[in-house]
Amino acid sequence: MNKSGYTLPPEWARQSGVQLTWPHAATDWADYLADICDTYVEMARAIASHEQLLVVAPEPEAVADRLRRELEADAFQRVLFHQCDTNDTWARDHAFITLVANGDGERGADGDAPRLLDFRFNGWGEKFEADKDNRINRSLMGSGMLNGQYVDCLDFVLEGGSIESDGEGTVFTTSQCLLAPHRNQPLDKNAIEQRLRQTLGAKRVVWLDHGNLMGDDTDGHIDTTVRTAPENTLIYVGCDDENDPQYDDFKQLQRQLESLRTFSGQPYRLLRLPMPDPMVDEQGERLPATYANFLVTNEAVLVPIYNQPVKDNEALRTVAEAFKDRRMIAIDSRTIVRQHGSIHCCTMQYPEGVLRNAR
């Protein structure tokens, strides 16, 4: 049982805001910087229309000038800006993972203050430079923009996109990611699970062994294939094309999900997302397009779409079925996927009480 008194909340819990780490010319977006900045403005508008937005950028004044022009005045008033050098833009994997008090444990010196866990980000197994991104969290803590207790977890590699929480003590992850080379060796699966349980306040860890998208350079982040939702719901990506090289792997994923049980021994409610039609980069290599990489906010869900009307609409209907109290906002993610990510990868939510009030 979790006696820490803290829990990793689900994404649909009340939020104080969302972080975007803004693209710039020194990132891998350089060749299509205008296009990706247009997409980021679209995400910023969708988020700031109803909750706070934290923008991290090397030159925040330029971003502020653009958002001042393009957002409604009341939305712009909800935006906070923080100056920090960055390698890239994947806030999901370099931002804090935040725990909230659940009332089951003893209070610490900071009472029930949220715990801001700063894990080490190493470019998804030392594939990319990440030194600047690893300094963002400590820079933010020094700015006074965040309320909570800083927790140094820099001796352990963990990316926000590699875990999902139901808010009731179950943390979901994938064996292909957390056991991948250049992350936490020589720790084995049991040692990694013990660390997750202790650090995240989890009662159990559920490991998924299938569903690795072609073109994914994260080694199989769970937020590209399986997502948690209210009422013991799991939203997952399916594959119907028997000629797709991913077909067998995703069939095995579906069978594993069907075998899972909740704490009370009940099967999960499963909602199936379509697999987008194949998308490729300039070299003809497949891109990891997925509808599972949506972002849940206080009033809306930002859902990636790919100019595939039939499947886009099916995905929007499926996510809406899981989050009936929120409106769906479709975000064209064709530019984001060119760098092998989508909406969830670009964002990180902060639970209620963490992000200070904007102007």
Side-chain angles (χ1 to χ4, degrees):
M1 295 292 288
N2 170 25
K3 297 298 185 182
S4 72
Y6 283 82
T7 299
L8 179 61
E11 194 163 302
W12 59 89
R14 193 72 183 172
Q15 303 171 6
S16 59
V18 172
Q19 177 178 329
L20 283 174
T21 304
W22 208 264
H24 55 86
T27 64
D28 288 340
W29 301 108
D31 290 343
Y32 31 91
L33 186 59
D35 290 340
I36 192 60
C37 286
D38 287 346
T39 304
Y40 266 65
V41 169
E42 189 177 356
M43 288 192 290
R45 182 180 296 110
I47 295 164
S49 67
H50 58 270
E51 67 182 83
Q52 294 195 113
L53 172 65
L54 169 61
V55 172
V56 175
E59 298 180 357
E61 298 84 0
V63 182
D65 287 344
R66 178 166 185 184
L67 293 183
R68 187 181 293 107
R69 294 193 306 268
E70 301 212 27
L71 300 188
E72 295 291 334
D74 61 339
F76 182 73
Q77 290 300 310
R78 298 188 187 98
V79 185
L80 286 163
F81 296 92
H82 178 67
Q83 191 281 326
C84 189
D85 289 339
T86 64
N87 297 103
D88 218 317
T89 58
W90 306 108
R92 180 60 47 180
D93 297 335
H94 62 239
F96 283 113
I97 294 173
T98 310
L99 307 186
V100 296
N102 59 24
D104 292 339
E106 296 182 2
R107 294 188 178 187
D110 295 308
D112 290 335
R115 289 184 175 174
L116 302 171
L117 309 185
D118 189 9
F119 291 97
R120 182 158 57 95
F121 173 55
N122 73 345
W124 309 289
E126 301 175 354
K127 297 183 182 74
F128 303 94
E129 294 294 327
D131 58 319
K132 295 177 182 177
D133 290 343
N134 253 314
R135 294 194 288 266
I136 294 173
N137 291 339
R138 280 166 286 177
S139 177
L140 279 169
M141 286 303 297
S143 74
M145 290 184 174
L146 303 180
N147 299 311
Q149 176 187 358
Y150 177 88
V151 181
D152 186 340
C153 300
L154 293 170
D155 63 336
F156 191 77
V157 175
L158 187 69
E159 302 122 26
S162 69
I163 54 174
E164 277 282 305
S165 174
D166 65 357
E168 298 180 2
T170 298
V171 169
F172 296 83
T173 191
T174 66
S175 56
Q176 55 264 40
C177 178
L178 264 64
L179 302 181
H182 307 292
R183 278 184 166 83
N184 288 303
Q185 287 76 18
L187 298 183
D188 61 13
K189 182 177 181 179
N190 288 335
I192 290 173
E193 177 168 331
Q194 184 65 19
R195 181 66 183 262
L196 293 177
R197 287 163 62 96
Q198 291 176 343
T199 310
L200 301 178
K203 298 176 184 177
R204 65 172 183 167
V205 177
V206 173
W207 295 79
L208 300 178
D209 303 311
H210 303 282
N212 198 358
L213 289 171
M214 294 177 65
D216 173 33
D217 51 20
T218 69
D219 299 312
H221 274 184
I222 194 169
D223 70 348
T224 65
T225 55
V226 180
R227 303 294 306 282
T228 57
E231 300 178 359
N232 292 320
T233 299
L234 297 177
I235 308 174
Y236 72 101
V237 175
C239 183
D240 295 320
D241 182 2
E242 296 183 6
N243 296 315
D244 191 321
Q246 305 174 125
Y247 178 80
D248 288 339
D249 188 33
F250 276 82
K251 282 297 182 185
Q252 292 182 71
L253 172 64
Q254 180 173 322
R255 286 193 287 269
Q256 186 174 12
L257 294 175
E258 291 169 346
S259 73
L260 297 180
R261 295 295 180 267
T262 66
F263 274 117
S264 62
Q266 300 301 310
Y268 282 90
R269 176 193 182 210
L270 300 180
L271 296 178
R272 191 172 189 266
L273 291 166
M275 177 78 70
D277 295 337
M279 301 175 64
V280 298
D281 62 15
E282 292 82 356
Q283 290 73 44
E285 299 295 325
R286 188 157 178 175
L287 296 169
T290 174
Y291 293 110
N293 206 249
F294 54 81
L295 171 73
V296 184
T297 65
N298 286 335
E299 296 182 9
V301 184
L302 280 60
V303 182
I305 59 171
Y306 302 98
N307 195 31
Q308 301 178 19
V310 173
K311 290 187 175 181
D312 290 350
N313 288 330
E314 180 183 349
L316 288 163
R317 289 194 299 269
T318 300
V319 178
E321 187 175 346
F323 297 98
K324 294 181 178 179
D325 60 338
R326 289 164 168 86
R327 61 191 177 95
M328 299 297 110
I329 301 178
I331 303 289
D332 188 332
S333 298
R334 287 176 291 172
T335 301
I336 309 177
V337 80
R338 293 176 70 178
Q339 282 298 322
H340 305 262
S342 197
I343 297 168
H344 198 248
C345 302
C346 298
T347 57
M348 176 56 87
Q349 75 282 348
Y350 289 101
E352 192 169 39
V354 174
L355 191 60
R356 79 176 193 194
N357 291 332
R359 297 171 296 279

